[in-house]
Amino acid sequence: MAEFSNAFLEGLARMCSDESELALSRHRKTASKSLRVLSQHSYSQELDELRGRLVATSDVEDSHRRETAYEWFLDNYYLINETAQTLAEDVPANFYFELPSLVVTEGEKHTRLPRIYVLARELIEEISEPPNRVALEAFLDGFQRRVQLSIGELWAFPAMLRAVCLEKIVESLSLLSAEDNPETELDDLLSVHPAMVAFAVRTLIELKTIPWRLVFEHCSLVHRELLEDPAAVYSLMDFATCDRYRRIVEGLALRSGCDELTAAAQANALAQEASAEGHADGLQNHVGYYLVGNGRYQLERTLGAQLALRIKVGRTLMRLATPVYLLSIAVVTLCTIGLLAAYLVSVSAGPIAIILASMLALVPSSGFAIALVQWVITNLIVPERLPRLAVETGIGDENRTLVVIPTLFGDVEEVHELVRRLEIHYLANPDPNLGFAILADYTDALQETTPADEVLVARARAGIDLLNQRYGESGSGPFHLLVRERRLNALEGVWMGWERKRGKLEEFNRLLAGDRDTSYSLHVGDAGGLEDIRFVITLDSDTELPKDAARRLVGTLAHPLNRAQFDGDRLCSGYTVLQPRLDISPEASHRSRFSGVFAGDTGLDIYSRAVSNVYQDFFGSGVYVGKGIYDVDAFRRCLEGRVPENSLLSHDLFEGIYGRTGLVTDVVLFEDYPQNYLSYARRLHRWIRGDWQLLPWLRSRVPAGAGRLIANPFSQIDRWKVVDNLRRSLLPIALLAMFVSGWTWLPGNP
């Protein structure tokens, strides 16, 4: 089955390599009628007609052979119908007409068909048994030793095989059920076509069992070329990232007038040159740098790519992203306020009323403007997922990671819930190179220790020891408890954990780096489990980490194009922290009437979920909200000496700006929602208080560690992120003031 004669393959190659016959099938009228008729509606209708004609067949002598074909059709109707329904989805019209095509002569007719369809048809005609994976790979490999197939053709090949099988079924059943078959031809029909129906149905069944991704990667010449990546990274990536690389190769080849293999080889050649020049520690020796990274422009120049106007305009907008974004918001805001002012003029309002009403409308109007501009941008820009290494087989030793929950020990029940949550995280994300830790502070107190401290620690220690016994080996396991002692805060007048949550993580990072001069006074767990940790995933105590989410976050941050790259002390590319998408837990949204009403309203709770894709897709950097993964060394390097003590309560946005945040939109974490308004208001108060503490970072010189003032490193869009948080905190007050003013003293209709 896996062997095809040279004569057969040579004949196909000659037919498909005649340059005068090859072209892109741009016109619908040139499409194959046999393929067009296999749409869901027309095919179902035709099958109904065929069924009726077969049942009406009256020749008893030949009915058995007819019924054999009919039974194959009826018994597998679900499969045939499903194939017909999904055929258009597998090969959409716009994709179908871009496949390389050739003119096929059938009698006196000249029909232009996709080349890969012709190959599928010739293969089905050649074989006598349904093809398995080995046979298909042998056929494609043998043909490509003579003629190269494109990426699109290889993806379309299974759909074309199914189309040919459906065509054979329709054709055979139509002939068998025809009433005007000549007697001299009836025996030939009955001897051939029932077998053809059976063969086609068996082939459809076999095709469903074949792993087409593996077939594609085995046969794709572009994939084989990219595997020669000098940095040896391409072979380590997940399928979606590899597929993105290949799609870019397709586009480059189309715009450059060369074949896809040449485009891929040129990207490899540039990476090889960079490797030979000694860029072994950089990005330039990875082929992806020239496909999705900053080296793309160099590759386009080398290939002589002719960029479409749409691409040129898009890149111009990206270069001017900040002024385009901010000016658009300003224009829409002013236009909205202008409409209000025009209405007030129409009702003879005085200048003072117009000015005051415009001031009151500024914040709400800006909210409308931001929503509109972001909606337009997200519809104009196609978002791309960050590249990722494959993690199906687990996290490598070089990427050891800890999942940590920074928290306060309140009471015994809270400690019990924290231990339970840690166990759930482990069960959803088991991996030998993934550890789990609670980073705990005691609550604020008027003295260094309290009688309750010992009870809480004893309960937490017992819980961690039990988990390590249950899931560990030889007395050690993946679970840890680290508790900090209180330090006197003279400014607050209390004993507390140094710098609260930010301090927990900062001291923990120092501890991982080997610094023992921290306020962590207790560690429960295997000390070796804290060695050689590269990444930390930080979660809140109410955050849910879904199955394999930790692996996917690690695989994303470990990809070379996402790793933080420094020029001296300046972060020049990559990310130190990745922010997954956040959503409200379905369970949390049904715990009370309040959460049921408001948990689905992203406009009310802007912090937990509304991380705009615009920041990632338009500016290349997202917004950090405190739950995500960070590179321990790079994160420390970006923040070292940047934060003055006793100055920041809400530090997530600050850290995300300094460390540059990447948004991982295809990894979702779930978190709890307040069950009543008072809990919600207390949480919102903490957030708003923290946002306003960032006000000094809007100046030209900003505070840093040891009481220093340094030049503000924030870009314009970074400062806008701070301003936008402040604007949102004012929105409820501004809306209330507008409503009250409209109901009371403003002229016109309220």
Side-chain angles (χ1 to χ4, degrees):
M1 171 60 72
E3 295 182 0
F4 296 91
S5 67
N6 286 331
F8 171 63
L9 294 173
E10 290 290 350
L12 282 180
R14 282 194 301 273
M15 180 173 61
C16 296
S17 60
D18 184 357
E19 294 299 331
S20 64
E21 298 295 313
L22 290 173
L24 289 179
S25 184
R26 295 293 187 184
H27 305 289
R28 291 179 181 269
K29 64 182 182 181
T30 64
S32 168
K33 179 182 178 182
S34 59
L35 286 179
R36 290 205 311 273
V37 83
L38 294 176
S39 64
Q40 178 180 350
H41 174 72
S42 62
Y43 184 63
S44 298
Q45 182 179 0
E46 187 167 358
L47 288 178
D48 288 339
E49 294 174 358
L50 288 171
R51 179 183 180 183
R53 291 203 300 270
L54 283 170
V55 171
T57 301
S58 59
D59 192 325
V60 177
E61 179 183 352
D62 300 320
S63 64
H64 175 69
R65 281 179 286 183
R66 283 193 173 97
E67 287 173 3
T68 301
Y70 174 68
E71 287 169 0
W72 272 102
F73 156 69
L74 185 61
D75 291 345
N76 296 278
Y77 180 78
Y78 73 95
L79 173 63
I80 298 171
N81 196 44
E82 178 191 30
T83 303
Q85 291 176 10
T86 58
L87 188 60
E89 300 173 9
D90 292 340
V91 186
N94 60 334
F95 177 58
Y96 171 83
F97 294 112
E98 291 178 359
L99 292 172
S101 65
L102 65 156
V103 174
V104 176
T105 302
E106 298 178 341
E108 297 182 355
K109 294 182 179 180
H110 300 281
T111 308
R112 183 169 292 281
L113 297 174
R115 178 173 64 179
I116 195 65
Y117 170 75
V118 175
L119 290 183
R121 191 174 66 177
E122 294 297 322
L123 173 63
I124 295 298
E125 293 286 351
E126 176 73 10
I127 59 181
S128 58
E129 290 293 328
N132 55 26
R133 175 185 171 185
V134 175
L136 293 174
E137 290 178 348
F139 171 73
L140 293 172
D141 286 342
F143 181 80
Q144 287 196 103
R145 283 194 287 269
R146 297 159 175 85
V147 178
Q148 175 186 336
L149 293 174
S150 70
I151 291 173
E153 287 180 300
L154 288 174
W155 279 126
F157 186 58
M160 295 304 172
L161 288 172
R162 295 186 182 102
V164 172
C165 290
L166 288 173
E167 190 177 60
K168 293 295 183 184
I169 294 172
V170 171
E171 178 186 356
S172 297
L173 292 177
S174 298
L175 290 172
L176 283 173
S177 60
E179 297 179 357
D180 56 349
N181 283 323
E183 290 294 329
T184 55
E185 297 180 7
L186 188 57
D187 287 341
D188 292 336
L189 291 174
L190 290 172
S191 64
V192 174
H193 289 284
M196 178 55 70
V197 173
F199 171 76
V201 171
R202 288 166 55 209
T203 300
L204 289 178
I205 295 173
E206 181 68 30
L207 293 177
K208 285 183 68 69
T209 67
I210 295 174
W212 289 106
R213 285 186 178 183
L214 299 180
V215 173
F216 170 85
E217 292 189 339
H218 173 86
C219 298
S220 172
L221 300 180
V222 170
H223 179 71
R224 295 179 193 175
E225 177 62 33
L226 294 177
L227 284 172
E228 301 298 320
D229 174 20
V233 171
Y234 180 83
S235 61
L236 304 176
M237 301 191 311
D238 70 351
F239 177 83
T241 305
C242 291
D243 193 52
R244 180 186 174 192
Y245 281 25
R246 294 188 293 257
R247 283 190 285 109
I248 290 173
V249 168
E250 277 187 289
L252 286 171
L254 184 64
R255 290 190 292 273
S256 305
C258 65
D259 60 71
E260 295 166 354
L261 186 58
T262 299
Q266 187 57 61
N268 256 342
L270 292 175
Q272 192 65 52
E273 290 176 12
S275 180
E277 292 172 2
H279 294 286
D281 295 330
L283 302 178
Q284 295 90 334
N285 59 334
H286 170 42
V287 68
Y289 177 78
Y290 303 94
L291 295 174
V292 301
N294 294 332
R296 173 117 181 233
Y297 308 106
Q298 181 182 355
L299 178 58
E300 289 173 343
R301 289 193 300 269
T302 303
L303 292 173
Q306 301 297 317
L307 301 183
L309 178 62
R310 175 181 56 84
I311 297 177
K312 292 180 179 179
V313 172
R315 290 186 179 179
T316 300
L317 290 177
M318 296 288 281
R319 284 196 296 269
L320 302 173
T322 298
V324 167
Y325 182 68
L326 296 182
L327 284 176
S328 298
I329 291 173
V331 168
V332 176
T333 300
L334 291 176
C335 289
T336 306
I337 294 175
L339 291 175
L340 173 63
Y343 171 74
L344 290 172
V345 170
S346 69
V347 295
S348 303
I352 294 179
I354 294 174
I355 293 173
L356 291 177
S358 298
M359 293 174 62
L360 290 174
L362 177 62
V363 173
S365 298
S366 66
F368 166 73
I370 291 168
L372 179 63
V373 171
Q374 291 190 350
W375 178 82
V376 171
I377 291 175
T378 52
N379 280 274
L380 290 177
I381 296 177
V382 178
E384 289 287 359
R385 198 195 74 167
L386 292 176
R388 176 180 300 155
L389 299 181
V391 291
E392 289 80 7
T393 58
I395 298 171
D397 293 341
E398 71 282 2
N399 294 323
R400 294 191 66 206
T401 303
L402 273 175
V403 176
V404 303
I405 302 178
T407 188
L408 283 172
F409 275 170
D411 55 42
V412 172
E413 286 301 318
E414 288 183 13
V415 172
H416 173 76
E417 178 60 25
L418 283 169
V419 174
R420 188 186 72 89
R421 178 74 68 178
L422 211 63
E423 181 180 17
I424 292 174
H425 292 335
Y426 168 80
L427 293 174
N429 297 268
D431 192 286
N433 284 312
L434 191 63
F436 301 83
I438 295 174
L439 309 182
D441 280 347
Y442 301 112
T443 55
D444 297 358
L446 297 177
Q447 59 272 349
E448 185 175 1
T449 60
T450 68
D453 296 347
E454 195 170 322
V455 176
L456 296 174
V457 168
R459 178 65 188 88
R461 179 195 290 272
I464 294 298
D465 286 340
L466 180 61
L467 291 181
N468 282 326
Q469 291 173 11
R470 183 179 299 170
Y471 301 107
E473 296 179 359
S474 303
S476 65
F479 299 96
H480 304 267
L481 169 67
L482 294 101
V483 183
R484 293 198 303 172
E485 60 187 11
R486 294 185 183 92
R487 297 284 175 87
L488 178 62
N489 187 311
L491 189 64
E492 297 283 341
V494 295
W495 290 80
M496 54 179 280
W498 178 75
E499 290 292 291
R500 302 191 185 279
K501 178 184 174 182
R502 187 188 70 79
K504 275 195 286 285
L505 290 174
E506 180 177 327
E507 289 197 297
F508 183 63
N509 294 338
R510 285 162 44 197
L511 189 67
L512 294 177
D515 185 356
R516 296 294 180 263
D517 185 19
T518 71
S519 60
Y520 280 103
S521 57
L522 173 67
H523 174 216
V524 178
D526 180 15
L530 301 183
E531 296 176 356
D532 301 321
I533 297 297
R534 183 179 181 187
F535 302 133
V536 167
I537 298 175
T538 176
L539 307 173
D540 285 348
S541 57
D542 61 352
T543 306
E544 297 177 17
L545 188 66
K547 180 176 174 56
D548 292 334
R551 284 184 178 180
R552 285 181 284 153
L553 287 172
V554 171
T556 306
L557 191 53
H559 193 283
L561 294 181
N562 297 328
R563 294 176 193 165
Q565 303 290 324
F566 290 88
D567 181 7
D569 291 331
R570 185 177 66 88
L571 179 65
C572 56
S573 67
Y575 308 98
T576 68
V577 59
L578 296 182
Q579 171 67 61
R581 190 158 53 91
L582 296 178
D583 210 339
I584 301 300
S585 164
E587 179 185 356
S589 63
H590 293 89
R591 286 178 180 164
S592 67
R593 182 174 298 179
F594 175 81
S595 61
V597 171
F598 293 110
D601 186 356
T602 58
L604 177 65
D605 187 354
I606 50 85
Y607 291 89
S608 61
R609 291 195 293 167
V611 181
S612 174
N613 289 338
V614 170
Y615 289 126
Q616 178 65 44
D617 301 331
F618 205 41
F619 300 100
S621 177
V623 176
Y624 184 45
V625 297
K627 277 79 73 174
I629 182 172
Y630 64 85
D631 183 312
V632 175
D633 292 338
F635 196 65
R636 285 190 62 212
R637 185 171 178 180
C638 286
L639 291 171
E640 193 168 12
R642 298 287 190 179
V643 190
E645 289 191 36
N646 295 310
S647 61
L648 290 179
L649 178 65
S650 180
H651 50 90
D652 303 329
L653 178 63
F654 177 89
E655 292 169 342
I657 291 175
Y658 266 113
R660 197 162 183 261
T661 303
L663 184 62
V664 189
T665 55
D666 62 330
V667 177
V668 184
L669 304 185
F670 297 93
E671 60 181 3
D672 211 341
Y673 196 85
Q675 296 186 42
N676 55 66
Y677 178 74
L678 290 179
S679 298
Y680 170 81
R682 283 194 292 266
R683 185 177 71 165
L684 186 62
H685 174 265
R686 292 195 306 271
W687 287 342
I688 291 176
R689 176 187 169 192
D691 288 338
W692 282 90
Q693 288 176 339
L694 291 175
L695 196 61
W697 275 265
L698 297 178
R699 299 196 294 255
S700 58
R701 295 185 65 80
V702 297
R708 298 175 296 125
L709 287 177
I710 61 173
N712 193 339
F714 286 11
S715 66
Q716 291 298 321
I717 197 62
D718 292 334
R719 299 185 196 191
W720 165 255
K721 292 175 183 177
V722 176
V723 171
D724 194 31
N725 273 9
L726 303 184
R727 179 199 63 80
R728 285 192 294 237
S729 69
L730 296 174
L731 181 59
I733 300 173
L735 285 173
L736 179 61
M738 276 193 68
F739 292 150
V740 171
S741 299
W743 295 330
T744 55
W745 62 272
L746 282 176
N749 191 311

